[in-house]
Amino acid sequence: MSADRVAQPASAAEPFPGADTPMLKQYWELRRPLSADTLLLFRLGDFYELFFDDAVQGARLLGLTLTQRQQHPMAGIPYHAAPAYIKKLLDAGRKVAICDQTEVPKAGKLVNRAITRVLTPGTILEDHQLDSSRPHYLLAIAADRAGLHAAWLDLTTGDFHLATEAEPARLWPALYALDAREILAPESLAASGAEWDNLSAHRPVSRLPDFQFECAAGARLTKETLGVLNLDGFGIRDGHPALGCAGALIAYATDTLCGKPAHLKQLREYRSGEALVLDPATLRNLEVLRSARGTRDGSLLHAVDATVTPPGARLLEQWLAAPIRDLAELCRRQGCVGAFVAEPGLAAQVREGLGAVRDLARILSRLQNRLRHPRELAGVRDTLRVLPEVRATLAKLPAPAADLAPRIPAFAELAELLEKALADEPPIDPKDGGVIRDSFDTELDRLRGLARGHKTWISDFERAEQERTGIKNLRVRYTGAFGYYIEITKSNLSLVPADYIRRQTMTNAERFVTDELRQREKEILHAEENSLTREEELFRGLVEAVLAQADGLRAAAAALAEADVLQGWARLARERDFCRPVLDDGDVFLIEQGRHPVVEVILRGRAEGLAGARAFVPNDTSLAASGEQIALITGPNMAGKSTYIRQVALIAILAQAGAWAPARGCRLGLVDRVFSRVGASDELARGNSTFMVEMNETANILRHATARSLIVLDEIGRGTSTYDGLAIAWAVVEQLHGAGPAGPRTLFATHYHELTQLEKSLPRLRNYAVTVKEWNDEIIFVRQVARGAADRSYGIQVARLAGLPGEVIARAREILTELEAEGQALQAHVRRSLAQAAPAAGQTATEPPAAVEEPTPPETAAVPQMELF
Ligand code: ADP
């Protein structure tokens, strides 16, 4: 199988340097079709060797010693240590082609070699190269006049999707959220624009000839690979424009596996209209999958992960990265969590059972693609051992959790076969022997008996012959060249029986064999080889038996992963007091006593080690697209504004992933997109200033938000001068409010308290303040969000808390007093000008929708207790 799709020739006129020996000629024939970013590991005895430029690169990337072979650079890695080296090369964004010997070497003849596998960052299947708790996607994208098309495939599990969008902005976010390991794109795809930059940053991109993205060919290849005549069963029409991408993925996978992927069985269409879309800025700003430092620790994903299996952890990431809007499915997930919450004893049993479950989906993918190790079968056996109990426990739970049980059959026959056949701890390499248990197969037992017992048989035979012939010093010996023989000293030759066959005469003795000894010799010499061959045969049989059930096992694995996520959420719900959100098609978002799922855990951790440390202070939220649409939140720095607005967005994401939420009560009219513009994230490396990033993200929000969206904005306008910033913030709020009867539910945190004036002109805007208490010129943060506006920014008090020297604080107070006197006049002027300059706002201000109540005056008042249910 050629690997030329993975690897385009670096240059068509590649010379044949060093093709002066048959082996190097063979090397170049294999190397020539590979691309420049692929390194060829060429098997030579117990080493994989790199030659020529590969050797130079390999030596640099892997810290190897460069040697010379016939004046050509060469570097080697021991065969046994190859996986660790390959991982390093893949991490460095390289591809690795493995060339193995495909026959037993014979002296004097050039051994046949072939490329048996090409590893690329997105097509790894090997366990030791993968992060077990993360999905591993290979993504193909293409674009034409009809829009943006994409397909993505997790080769490790067979998870396969495609999508097309006439409006590319609706698809880019989902592609980014996949965090693909490698991207395939046609050569002609224009590599420009913020979306492409976002997607391709720090990710290897393989450019392929355009024809490989051709739709009709892609459709044919997809159908052939999935083993179907048409794609109707997957709800995908034959001319779907993303089938070109699907075909490119399959062809690429085929080349890297050096064989067709045998485990692809389903294809799903992603439709942005059914999803809660989270764009890259939102994922980043809200630290959904990764913290700001890029770690899992500190992210939402980490804070709500109570899974016990890697497939569970992977599914959790998929659910959080792509929340949904399907009420029935959300209700099912929430209901399952509820069932586990209601039955803590059964939940604990399920959790314990899951602890013994292995990664079936990935094991099957390897087995189905010829990466077959006996230890993988032990993984299947160990999983099957616990399935009946997990299934029985799930069946005892209330619905809908009990519905998981029938999706996990017992596989009794297969379980019994593996128990009987497989050794307790089989080796990784079948050639090491010891895969199959004793007394599973009589032929194997016989061969093993022979191999093990040959020494005993020889000594028994020697004793018997001594007795039969009466020759006391008769010896049975062995030499490599001669095999087994009976040695009789010259003095005893007269006693040699007639059935002895003379083979060799020595000075003092003669050597004989018998038919029985010859026969035995053959069996003995081949016993070990035969027993290994027999074992391999039986091992293949076991693999076939497992593969015959692959579809069922995969379905069971999916149900187990779900059970894991759901039991984990139930555990959080119990331990951290989460509630079941009420979801509907309405336009409100009410949260009673909501908490930030990540900050809450951090504070709890601190409180445990620190007497007097404060617990998280919960807060309420009340938003409605056609009612209290915009909550404008003021308060000093450090008061808790950012934490509050983020917690609201995170609760929405959790709720639409199907989880319970950190609140006493929560009611959410489904959201189509969550947008956030939070904090200052500089992208100087990509040539964008903080202010530019802020404005880009704000522009994106204003362009794409709908009345179903949820927006959290923090300190808009901070990156420029005060009046510029205030003007922009003011105009953004007006735009979000708009002139219609409803708008996106918005939380707008700001330090510009001038904006609180907008409550008078925008009927769907409400002022809130994160309150602080003043005591002896000190401020105390109470972290409570209440109706009304903050009157001051308390910057100097916060600066003092932060330890700014006393004389600086005193001088700042003097300056502030002067500035405030001047500033009041200036601000009044700015407000007047802004109000006149904004026609949309002017209309809104004069024509408030009749149904909306008058805004309450901006003095601080506690939020009234909400009636949620
Ligand atoms: P702001 O955005 O107003 O400057 P932050 O939201 O960054 O303030 O909060 C500052 C710190 O206060 C946070 O790091 C967090 O530790 C703490 N904090 C915020 N909200 C709460 C809360 N509700 N309960 C307890 N501590 C909080």
Side-chain angles (χ1 to χ4, degrees):
M1 179 74 45
S2 94
D4 53 9
R5 224 183 290 257
V6 177
Q8 298 304 307
S11 86
E14 178 75 67
F16 255 46
D20 39 12
T21 67
M23 197 200 75
L24 283 178
K25 199 158 179 245
Q26 183 188 44
Y27 171 84
W28 275 108
E29 268 159 23
L30 293 164
R31 179 67 187 87
R32 216 155 35 115
L34 302 175
S35 64
D37 61 351
T38 307
L39 299 182
L40 176 61
L41 298 188
F42 190 80
R43 183 76 181 264
L44 260 185
D46 285 339
F47 279 79
Y48 280 118
E49 298 289 353
L50 294 142
F51 292 108
F52 306 101
D53 191 41
D54 285 3
V56 178
Q57 287 190 46
R60 187 169 45 79
L61 292 168
L62 302 172
L64 303 175
T65 317
L66 208 56
T67 55
Q68 296 282 318
R69 186 184 176 106
Q70 296 160 352
Q71 282 101 55
H72 304 304
M74 167 173 151
I77 55 179
Y79 159 70
H80 285 294
Y85 286 105
I86 293 172
K87 183 162 178 20
K88 272 196 191 167
L89 292 173
L90 293 170
D91 288 346
R94 301 309 168 91
K95 299 166 185 167
V96 180
I98 312 271
C99 162
D100 272 318
Q101 299 173 173
T102 51
E103 62 177 0
V104 181
K106 288 195 192 81
K109 181 182 170 289
L110 178 67
V111 62
N112 272 331
R113 291 186 174 86
I115 292 179
T116 51
R117 172 96 171 95
V118 181
L119 291 111
T120 76
T123 57
I124 308 164
L125 282 182
E126 289 77 353
D127 201 19
H128 40 262
Q129 316 278 12
L130 289 165
D131 180 342
S132 63
S133 61
R134 303 218 46 216
H136 199 97
Y137 285 111
L138 173 68
L139 168 67
I141 63 174
D144 57 22
R145 253 177 283 142
L148 180 66
H149 321 297
W152 53 98
L153 167 63
D154 184 338
L155 204 57
T156 70
T157 57
D159 192 25
F160 193 12
H161 300 257
L162 51 60
T164 188
E165 277 291 348
E167 194 190 322
R170 299 179 68 84
L171 184 52
W172 284 115
L175 303 185
Y176 178 84
L178 295 171
D179 196 10
R181 300 314 158 96
E182 187 178 355
I183 301 174
L184 309 181
E187 269 153 5
S188 65
L189 186 85
S192 61
E195 289 90 356
W196 171 257
D197 288 351
N198 250 330
L199 190 67
S200 59
H202 317 298
R203 257 179 267 277
V205 177
S206 296
R207 293 285 186 164
L208 306 176
D210 287 14
F211 72 84
Q212 290 185 15
F213 288 78
E214 210 267 306
C215 257
R220 265 198 309 279
L221 187 56
T222 306
K223 285 185 278 188
E224 188 188 305
T225 310
L226 298 179
V228 292
L229 288 175
N230 58 52
L231 297 166
D232 294 354
F234 306 110
I236 294 165
R237 67 199 151 83
D238 226 24
H240 194 293
L243 282 168
C245 293
L249 287 180
I250 295 174
Y252 191 79
T254 304
D255 287 340
T256 60
L257 291 170
C258 299
K260 275 205 183 311
H263 61 303
L264 306 187
K265 289 284 168 343
Q266 52 77 23
L267 179 61
R268 292 200 191 100
E269 178 162 23
Y270 167 87
R271 293 184 183 90
S272 64
E274 294 168 3
L276 161 56
V277 177
L278 301 170
D279 54 295
T282 303
L283 279 177
R284 232 183 359 247
N285 292 336
L286 297 178
E287 300 174 289
V288 176
L289 305 175
R290 292 277 164 277
S291 73
R293 300 183 310 280
T295 55
R296 186 180 172 103
D297 194 13
S299 66
L300 175 69
L301 174 63
H302 184 258
V304 298
D305 185 357
T307 59
V308 289
T309 67
R314 293 201 297 269
L315 183 65
L316 175 66
E317 177 165 342
Q318 287 170 316
W319 280 0
L320 282 187
I324 54 172
R325 287 155 68 185
D326 177 344
L327 267 180
E329 170 60 9
L330 287 170
C331 208
R332 183 187 73 86
R333 292 183 196 173
Q334 289 185 336
C336 289
V337 176
F340 281 114
V341 169
E343 295 287 350
L346 296 177
Q349 278 176 36
V350 170
R351 188 176 171 85
E352 201 188 317
L354 288 172
V357 161
R358 302 284 164 261
D359 199 339
L360 276 188
R362 285 192 168 172
I363 290 176
L364 287 168
S365 299
R366 285 189 287 269
L367 291 177
Q368 286 175 304
N369 290 295
R370 297 173 307 283
L371 297 167
R372 297 175 174 180
H373 303 308
R375 205 163 282 173
E376 307 270 36
L377 288 189
V380 178
R381 176 197 59 199
D382 297 350
T383 307
L384 295 189
R385 229 175 241 169
V386 292
L387 284 199
E389 203 187 306
V390 172
R391 177 192 155 100
T393 317
L394 285 171
K396 286 186 211 151
L397 285 163
D403 299 339
L404 289 165
R407 291 167 58 192
I408 307 172
F411 302 99
E413 255 177 55
L414 181 62
E416 198 188 330
L417 173 67
L418 292 176
E419 290 291 355
K420 276 198 188 141
L422 209 58
D424 282 339
E425 282 189 30
I428 292 181
D429 190 346
K431 292 200 171 52
D432 291 342
V435 177
I436 305 292
R437 268 185 201 288
D438 282 339
S439 35
F440 171 66
D441 178 65
T442 40
E443 175 61 6
L444 179 63
D445 287 348
R446 191 183 72 78
L447 294 168
R448 272 186 182 159
L450 273 179
R452 280 182 204 141
H454 75 276
K455 285 217 172 82
T456 331
W457 187 87
I458 293 290
S459 50
D460 288 352
F461 177 74
E462 188 181 72
R463 215 173 307 116
E465 289 305 295
Q466 284 169 354
E467 272 172 27
R468 174 157 85 100
T469 57
I471 305 172
K472 291 227 168 56
N473 64 355
L474 176 151
R475 292 283 175 269
V476 177
R477 296 188 197 278
Y478 176 83
T479 67
F482 216 72
Y484 285 96
Y485 57 86
I486 304 162
E487 191 171 85
I488 311 281
T489 51
K490 289 244 158 100
S491 54
N492 288 318
L493 283 177
S494 58
L495 298 172
V496 168
D499 61 330
Y500 276 29
I501 306 160
R502 181 176 287 119
R503 299 300 304 264
Q504 207 178 13
T505 305
M506 316 294 289
T507 331
N508 298 322
E510 295 210 350
R511 292 174 173 181
F512 299 87
V513 291
T514 66
D515 285 342
E516 190 187 9
L517 185 59
R518 265 203 301 220
Q519 181 54 34
R520 272 290 167 169
E521 178 191 80
K522 258 193 226 145
E523 285 177 12
I524 289 165
L525 289 182
H526 291 127
E528 215 153 72
E529 204 178 301
N530 290 344
S531 109
L532 282 181
T533 312
R534 178 70 187 156
E535 239 184 337
E536 278 183 47
E537 229 171 82
L538 295 168
F539 170 59
R540 274 199 301 277
L542 293 181
V543 171
E544 291 313 319
V546 170
L547 294 188
Q549 308 273 352
D551 292 352
L553 288 167
R554 255 181 213 291
L560 289 167
E562 271 184 35
D564 192 16
V565 175
L566 298 164
Q567 69 75 26
W569 279 345
R571 197 177 165 90
L572 294 182
R574 270 197 311 273
E575 287 178 354
R576 299 198 348 227
D577 208 12
F578 282 18
C579 72
R580 176 177 177 163
V582 175
L583 302 175
D584 59 32
D585 281 326
D587 75 344
V588 302
F589 192 6
L590 299 176
I591 302 171
E592 187 188 350
Q593 300 284 289
R595 283 128 38 210
H596 190 297
V598 182
V599 176
E600 176 185 39
V601 174
I602 295 170
L603 289 189
R604 184 173 299 175
R606 270 193 219 144
E608 277 162 15
L610 213 66
R614 294 195 50 145
F616 193 88
V617 179
N619 275 298
D620 298 344
T621 306
S622 169
L623 294 170
S626 57
E628 299 189 7
Q629 182 212 329
I630 300 175
L632 189 91
I633 299 142
T634 44
N637 271 323
M638 279 297 288
K641 299 183 299 298
S642 307
T643 308
Y644 173 69
I645 63 175
R646 282 168 190 239
Q647 93 191 15
V648 174
L650 293 180
I651 288 173
I653 292 170
L654 280 176
Q656 286 190 230
W660 286 26
R664 187 186 292 161
C666 168
R667 175 165 186 178
L668 172 62
L670 290 179
V671 171
D672 65 351
R673 290 183 79 144
V674 173
F675 290 99
S676 84
R677 163 62 221 163
V678 182
S681 62
D682 241 322
E683 295 187 20
L684 293 178
R686 277 157 57 189
N688 288 329
S689 73
T690 310
F691 182 62
M692 196 65 191
V693 174
E694 176 183 334
M695 288 302 111
N696 274 337
E697 291 180 8
T698 310
N700 177 50
I701 296 172
L702 294 179
R703 227 176 293 134
H704 296 116
T706 74
R708 281 238 151 261
S709 305
L710 175 69
I711 302 179
V712 295
L713 295 170
D714 197 7
E715 303 290 13
I716 286 293
R718 190 164 219 176
T720 183
S721 77
T722 307
Y723 290 133
D724 266 7
L726 173 58
I728 291 170
W730 190 297
V732 167
V733 176
E734 285 177 348
Q735 176 75 21
L736 287 171
H737 186 281
R745 286 160 282 182
T746 304
L747 293 148
F748 195 105
T750 184
H751 66 291
Y752 296 124
H753 26 95
E754 293 84 348
L755 290 180
T756 56
Q757 299 297 322
L758 280 165
E759 195 177 55
K760 293 184 184 140
S761 55
L762 301 180
R764 295 196 305 278
L765 183 142
R766 294 286 178 280
N767 284 330
Y768 289 88
V770 186
T771 51
V772 291
K773 283 193 182 135
E774 280 187 271
W775 186 74
N776 282 349
D777 203 29
E778 300 264 353
I779 53 168
I780 300 163
F781 296 115
V782 287
R783 318 255 185 242
Q784 236 147 31
V785 179
R787 282 298 302 275
D791 52 346
R792 299 166 48 200
S793 52
Y794 299 95
I796 293 178
Q797 284 92 333
V798 176
R800 196 166 81 173
L801 278 182
L804 227 59
E807 58 272 28
V808 175
I809 296 288
R811 178 67 186 131
R813 273 191 211 291
E814 285 172 26
I815 300 171
L816 179 69
T817 318
E818 287 167 24
L819 286 177
E820 274 178 347
E822 284 174 30
Q824 272 164 10
L826 248 176
Q827 282 170 18
H829 173 70
V830 170
R831 271 201 301 276
R832 271 195 308 278
S833 323
L834 284 169
Q836 283 159 10
Q843 283 162 18
T844 321
T846 49
E847 299 158 23
V852 176
E853 22 167 308
E854 275 297 298
T856 35
E859 73 263 13
T860 302
V863 182
Q865 197 61 37
M866 283 183 290
E867 302 235 340
L868 295 182
F869 314 103

